[in-house]
Amino acid sequence: MSDGQGSEADADTDPDSETEVAAAEDPNEPTEVRRGLSDRAAFWTSGVLALVIAVGSVWLVGIRGIHFEALNRVSPTIEGGGVGAAWVQGNTLPALDWMITLVHVADVLMGVGILVMFFVHWIAFRRLAARMRPPDAPRRSDEAVATDGGERSNGSRSSSDFRSDGGSEARPTGAPRDRERAGPASDGGEAE
Amino acid sequence: MTNLDHGKFSRVTTMFHSLLALTVFLLFFTGYAVAFNAELWWLVELMGGNQGVLAVHRIAGFALIFLTAFWVLYMLLRMGGSVGITAVLPNLADIQAFVQDVKFAFGMVDERHPNARQFAGYSADEIPLISYIGKGVIAIFTVELILLMVSGLLIWQQSVLIDFYNSQSVVTAFVGFHGLLGVIMMMGVMFHTFEHGFHPAFYPVEMKAFLPKADTPEFHGEAEGESVTGIERLRLKPSWGWVTNVMGVLTLIGIVSVLIASMDYGGYPISETLVFDEGSLLRTVGVNIGILVLFVGLFLSMYGNVLRARYMRQIEREDRRAAATDGGEPSDAR
């Protein structure tokens, strides 16, 4: 999966740093003496570890066989009188069993195909997004704007804009940026 | 005005698309509440309970048959329809488009194939009306819907099957076919939601499916020169990054969970072996995330219609303003 450039190489360093884990980095904050990871590394490390803990703990109680599943179920069983409980046995024709197997195979093949398409599109979208103007780009290009185009415009953004602003005649902001935009709150300034 | 302003659907097709989405989501919610009951038992209660859930499912199924029949007939009977049958059949260029898309994802090429473009670029005339994914969607959904409708009708009144096979329990096999066929479609719809909701140029929803061609301002100018698509001129929405990542993860979990759940699925109502306490907690979470993704799709379908209504009102206002003497040029005219 393409999760930006958050490397977890140093994931085993002590994450108990005094820097706050913030979703958005602020490159302008005064550089104090830091003893922990950088915000970005801490953010992604915490995210991955939290996911591992969450999944692992649930998996752990799952294999311990504590049957949460038995809670308050609409029993689709004969005793429960659920949907379709009129039939007291399953299919008995081998030919139809084969056909069911065939549909199972089709399911798996199509599922894998859909997943491939899904990943191709996700990555393609990220590449396309990297070419677009950053969210804080000025709404309309001014002929007199500074060369580096870094100025934040606080112009109101109409929420009823359907789709991106088709009207602006922006000047190209230099070469298309190759770097992937990492997920949250990218500000045009950081480069790793 | 950019080159992405070109219409795709006729007015009837936009309506059909929205109604079809509504119907299919309802069928998913009712059908899989029953089929994946171990994971979605709560949805049964929401969708009519043990007694009513299949009634709701059948009503939606009836609506699906009507909608599909109407649309196909309408397309066939309308002379000089906007799209010929050849326009929706996959061809060699579509295979090339897929290969190039894979290369594009790996950074081996700089542009997507014209047949892969959701974001048109060039002028609208040079891009096929339907991308290779769009053709795949049409082809797969057509086959799927026909099979689902036929198998659904066969188990609607089981007496036909029981009579033919001279066995009562054989119906469960057809219930199994029906449920398993739907899984392909369910995974496809999750992907479809992701693909059309989270393209950076169209986020949060691609309007081509909601705004009829007749109302879409078309632009047939020259490409602006900086690239073939002019995508550099568009500004990314601030929330695109994290929302797309979250939705991507949810979609992935949803597709995989539904697939795994379907592998264990031996045919409802009575599986090959009677199992109690079946299912796993993780899979339950995953399948429910899949349902959440479907809900997002349903929401986006509604939102597209809201945006259309909003846009049409805006156009109306601008027309009125333009008709006035000299109402100061609207700053944002499209």
Side-chain angles (χ1 to χ4, degrees):
Chain A
M1 223 180 305
S2 55
D3 58 347
Q5 66 271 63
S7 73
E8 279 88 46
D10 43 3
D12 49 0
T13 49
D14 182 18
D16 286 345
S17 67
E18 286 166 11
T19 53
E20 285 207 2
V21 178
E25 301 194 293
D26 184 7
N28 302 327
E29 83 182 27
T31 48
E32 297 160 2
V33 182
R34 288 189 179 183
R35 289 184 295 119
L37 303 175
S38 76
D39 278 354
R40 178 174 295 278
F43 178 85
W44 287 110
T45 309
S46 314
V48 170
L49 288 179
L51 196 66
V52 168
I53 290 168
V55 170
S57 58
V58 171
W59 174 77
L60 199 66
V61 297
I63 60 166
R64 300 295 301 165
I66 300 168
H67 296 301
F68 295 102
E69 288 298 304
L71 290 175
N72 210 1
R73 169 69 47 79
V74 182
S75 310
T77 57
I78 298 161
E79 291 85 350
V83 179
W87 287 277
V88 288
Q89 61 186 102
N91 167 52
T92 47
L93 290 187
L96 293 180
D97 278 339
W98 275 108
M99 281 178 68
I100 288 180
T101 308
L102 199 68
V103 185
H104 271 298
V105 171
D107 261 354
V108 174
L109 290 179
M110 292 295 295
V112 170
I114 288 168
L115 284 174
V116 168
M117 289 290 186
F118 166 75
F119 281 120
V120 165
H121 276 73
W122 195 356
I123 300 168
F125 287 175
R126 294 181 64 86
R127 280 201 71 188
L128 290 173
R131 289 184 193 178
M132 289 168 71
R133 298 161 63 216
D136 49 12
R139 191 177 174 77
R140 301 196 174 283
S141 78
D142 250 331
E143 299 301 326
V145 88
T147 46
D148 72 339
E151 186 156 327
R152 238 173 225 284
S153 82
N154 292 326
S156 64
R157 201 176 280 126
S158 127
S159 66
S160 70
D161 245 6
F162 87 90
R163 277 193 333 251
S164 29
D165 47 341
S168 65
E169 294 292 288
R171 316 169 65 99
T173 52
R177 296 171 313 152
D178 286 334
R179 71 181 177 79
E180 293 275 284
R181 311 171 58 83
S186 66
D187 44 339
E190 97 289 66
E192 295 198 353
Chain B
M1 180 74 67
T2 67
N3 283 313
L4 54 75
D5 287 309
H6 72 288
K8 183 160 78 165
F9 283 4
S10 72
R11 190 173 305 278
V12 170
T13 305
T14 56
M15 283 303 295
F16 167 75
H17 176 260
S18 291
L19 289 172
L20 182 76
L22 199 62
T23 309
V24 165
F25 281 124
L26 201 54
L27 285 161
F28 283 153
F29 294 151
T30 49
Y32 286 104
V34 173
F36 295 155
N37 185 273
E39 287 82 17
L40 297 172
W41 53 269
W42 59 273
L43 201 53
V44 171
E45 293 299 280
L46 201 68
M47 290 279 146
N50 259 351
Q51 300 305 312
V53 64
L54 289 185
V56 178
H57 192 75
R58 284 187 170 101
I59 291 166
F62 171 81
L64 175 70
I65 293 169
F66 171 81
L67 273 174
T68 313
F70 173 85
W71 188 73
V72 169
L73 288 170
Y74 180 81
M75 287 292 137
L76 290 176
L77 294 176
R78 208 171 43 141
M79 294 308 289
S82 54
V83 185
I85 189 74
T86 47
V88 299
L89 291 178
N91 55 29
L92 188 63
D94 295 310
I95 296 168
Q96 291 165 341
F98 168 65
V99 172
Q100 191 167 330
D101 245 3
V102 174
K103 284 181 177 168
F104 181 77
F106 283 105
M108 291 149 71
V109 290
D110 284 341
E111 291 291 353
R112 296 178 84 187
H113 191 281
N115 284 44
R117 293 249 161 82
Q118 291 157 260
F119 179 82
Y122 300 112
S123 61
D125 312 323
E126 297 174 57
I127 298 295
L129 187 72
I130 306 170
S131 69
Y132 79 96
I133 292 284
K135 289 179 184 177
V137 166
I138 292 173
I140 293 168
F141 279 21
T142 304
V143 174
E144 279 281 309
L145 284 174
I146 289 172
L147 290 173
L148 281 165
M149 285 191 274
V150 169
S151 59
L153 283 170
L154 285 175
I155 54 182
W156 189 300
Q157 292 288 356
Q158 293 91 347
S159 51
V160 178
L161 284 174
I162 293 171
D163 191 41
F164 182 81
Y165 285 100
N166 206 5
S167 148
Q168 177 178 309
S169 61
V170 84
V171 173
T172 57
F174 282 82
V175 175
F177 295 145
H178 186 72
L180 287 168
L181 281 168
V183 167
I184 298 176
M185 188 145 178
M186 197 165 162
M187 296 185 297
V189 166
M190 286 185 209
F191 167 64
H192 187 75
T193 300
F194 181 80
E195 181 214 0
H196 290 292
F198 299 92
H199 187 299
F202 296 109
Y203 169 81
V205 68
E206 199 168 328
M207 284 305 291
K208 280 187 230 149
F210 299 99
L211 192 64
K213 240 189 310 212
D215 298 320
T216 307
E218 296 218 349
F219 180 66
H220 296 265
E222 287 302 307
E224 298 302 308
E226 61 245 29
S227 84
V228 284
T229 54
I231 195 169
E232 292 82 0
R233 300 169 59 217
L234 298 176
R235 195 180 48 209
L236 195 61
K237 286 222 168 30
S239 58
W240 179 86
W242 69 267
V243 173
T244 300
N245 285 342
V246 169
M247 270 306 293
V249 170
L250 293 182
T251 307
L252 177 66
I253 293 173
I255 293 175
V256 170
S257 303
V258 166
L259 187 59
I260 290 173
S262 77
M263 287 180 193
D264 287 3
Y265 171 52
Y268 198 83
I270 308 297
S271 58
E272 283 156 350
T273 54
L274 262 183
V275 208
F276 299 94
D277 251 355
E278 75 287 4
S280 78
L281 195 55
L282 273 184
R283 198 176 73 191
T284 300
V285 172
V287 169
N288 277 281
I289 285 176
I291 291 294
L292 178 69
V293 172
L294 293 180
F295 267 114
V296 170
L298 182 60
F299 174 81
L300 287 179
S301 173
M302 183 202 72
Y303 188 57
N305 283 300
V306 169
L307 288 181
R308 187 210 34 231
R310 220 187 258 173
Y311 173 73
M312 296 307 288
R313 260 211 310 278
Q314 184 186 328
I315 293 293
E316 212 176 290
R317 265 204 311 272
E318 279 170 12
D319 284 351
R320 269 207 305 275
R321 209 181 303 155
T325 47
D326 173 30
E329 201 176 353
S331 61
D332 220 356
R334 264 190 203 97

